[in-house]
Amino acid sequence: MTETCLAEEQLHRKPGGKEEPHYYVYLLEAKSVFPNGLVLPLMSEFLDNTVDEVSSKQDCELKAFYRLADRLKAAFPRLPITLLLDGLYANGPVIALCRKNRWEFMIVLQHDSLPSVWKEANALQKLHPDQVIARTWKGRNQTFRFTNDIEYEYGSNARSKQTVHVVVCEETWEEVDANAKVVTKTSRHAWLSSVPLHERNLHARCNEMARSRWGLENDILPEKRQGYQYEHVFAYDWNAMRGYHYLMHLAHLMNELIGLVEVVAELILELGIRGFIRLLRGTIEGPWIDYKRIRHLQEQKPRLRFAS
């Protein structure tokens, strides 16, 4: 964020009703999420006020999503993909695009979003009270209620239609608060699913897939506060700033993968990440490196075994 415009591509807004605008750099990020919780950067799309030369409106996240989706499809035309999206994307055009690209999805359904879908889901739930699954996951007592084959109408005169499936998860668990007392916590989550829901796929789609989206939000924390210093302004030139972003993400990707190699994972477990970095730096700088052995290893095919 800056108080002066450094590039015409920057977006602006007036926080707190101030007269003078503040200028920002926003970007939309596609990341790969793995069952073990690993999150890796995949593709970035910068919000850019120079992209649309016709409209006077600023670029926005939804516009960037369509650009990113086109690039994602072009790069991986046959890859089976499931998109994990927040509530901003719970709309007909996004769902239609996913279906066109043959992508599955789990999209957060907020309580005040798509009222017609909620109305039909609640009505159908009364007709199918048996569509309830109870289970325990990570110490949480969960109750899933799901409704399939809801016809969602949207667009001009509701001429467009999409079939969606809704699942609601209510859960309770116990925690010890700051006063050392056991308190009961509750939470409620709802999603739109691209495929019908049933007992055999609820856990996989909700707990293992949809909730993994939170890992995407948590993944930005190391980049901002844990070594990458991403909040710092490293460049005032737009292209230089973009270049730094991509280099930083390449470094993050390599760090995540290296940390999964068995021998490195054992050292990190023993020394901690900062201790491992000090060891690595000392090894590189130290005079005890056996250059003949390094050259010998370079001639062999590398074999990296990832920790399970």
Side-chain angles (χ1 to χ4, degrees):
M1 181 197 74
T2 61
E3 294 185 358
T4 58
C5 182
L6 302 175
E8 60 179 342
E9 294 89 350
Q10 282 184 293
L11 275 63
H12 63 270
R13 67 182 182 188
K14 298 180 179 179
K18 295 182 178 179
E19 293 185 3
E20 296 298 324
H22 287 183
Y23 295 88
Y24 298 81
V25 176
Y26 289 97
L27 63 91
L28 189 63
E29 195 74 27
K31 298 198 176 188
S32 300
V33 182
F34 296 86
N36 63 353
L38 177 66
V39 177
L40 298 178
L42 179 64
M43 195 173 287
S44 303
E45 181 64 36
F46 281 83
L47 275 67
D48 183 342
N49 266 343
T50 64
V51 171
D52 188 351
E53 298 180 354
V54 178
S55 174
S56 60
K57 294 182 179 180
Q58 292 197 90
D59 198 9
C60 67
E61 193 172 331
L62 272 175
K63 292 180 181 178
F65 169 79
Y66 293 120
R67 300 196 301 268
L68 182 59
D70 288 343
R71 293 172 52 208
L72 195 60
K73 185 62 177 178
F76 307 101
R78 297 179 180 84
L79 181 67
I81 291 177
T82 299
L83 296 186
L84 310 177
L85 303 172
D86 66 26
L88 174 66
Y89 303 95
N91 63 65
V94 168
I95 294 172
L97 178 64
C98 291
R99 294 259 163 77
K100 175 185 175 182
N101 290 339
R102 298 184 179 181
W103 293 340
E104 292 191 15
F105 57 79
M106 291 294 288
I107 307 176
V108 172
L109 181 60
Q110 297 174 344
H111 67 90
D112 56 350
S113 179
L114 307 188
S116 64
V117 171
W118 274 118
K119 182 178 179 180
E120 186 168 352
N122 293 331
L124 290 174
Q125 183 63 51
K126 295 177 181 179
L127 297 176
H128 301 282
D130 57 317
Q131 293 184 170
V132 177
I133 304 296
R135 61 173 294 120
T136 301
W137 178 67
K138 294 186 177 182
R140 301 188 176 208
N141 297 316
Q142 299 179 311
T143 300
F144 292 96
R145 293 178 173 83
F146 59 95
T147 307
N148 292 321
D149 301 320
I150 296 175
E151 192 172 83
Y152 168 47
E153 299 178 343
Y154 65 97
S156 178
N157 297 320
R159 292 179 179 177
S160 300
K161 298 179 182 180
Q162 290 291 334
T163 300
V164 295
H165 318 278
V166 174
V167 56
V168 177
C169 173
E170 295 176 331
E171 57 185 17
T172 62
W173 70 97
E174 292 183 343
E175 289 184 359
V176 178
D177 65 11
N179 299 318
K181 293 182 179 180
V182 177
V183 295
T184 300
K185 299 281 188 175
T186 64
S187 66
R188 184 178 185 272
H189 314 280
W191 298 279
L192 293 174
S193 172
S194 56
V195 300
L197 299 150
H198 47 75
E199 184 176 3
R200 296 185 302 277
N201 70 358
L202 268 176
H203 172 66
R205 295 195 67 82
C206 297
N207 291 333
E208 296 180 348
M209 293 171 59
R211 297 182 74 136
S212 296
R213 188 186 63 82
W214 299 331
L216 304 176
E217 299 174 356
N218 294 334
D219 188 60
I220 192 66
L221 181 60
E223 295 176 355
K224 286 185 175 181
R225 308 288 172 80
Q226 297 175 3
Y228 298 89
Q229 303 298 324
Y230 196 40
E231 289 183 315
H232 180 73
V233 180
F234 285 96
Y236 293 109
D237 179 84
W238 181 263
N239 286 330
M241 179 273 300
R242 284 164 53 96
Y244 172 79
H245 166 80
Y246 291 123
L247 289 173
M248 186 272 293
H249 267 203
L250 284 172
H252 192 180
L253 172 65
M254 294 173 64
N255 287 346
E256 291 288 343
L257 291 177
I258 291 172
L260 288 175
V261 177
E262 282 188 346
V263 62
V264 176
E266 292 173 0
L267 284 171
I268 292 176
L269 187 63
E270 177 183 352
L271 304 174
I273 185 63
R274 295 185 183 275
F276 170 74
I277 292 174
R278 285 194 293 269
L279 173 64
L280 181 63
R281 180 173 180 174
T283 301
I284 294 173
E285 294 177 342
W288 55 82
I289 294 179
D290 187 342
Y291 293 102
K292 290 183 179 180
R293 174 170 171 77
I294 290 177
R295 282 193 291 269
H296 174 70
L297 292 174
Q298 286 178 331
E299 295 172 356
Q300 299 179 350
K301 293 183 178 180
R303 297 181 62 186
L304 297 179
R305 182 179 291 108
F306 290 131
S308 57

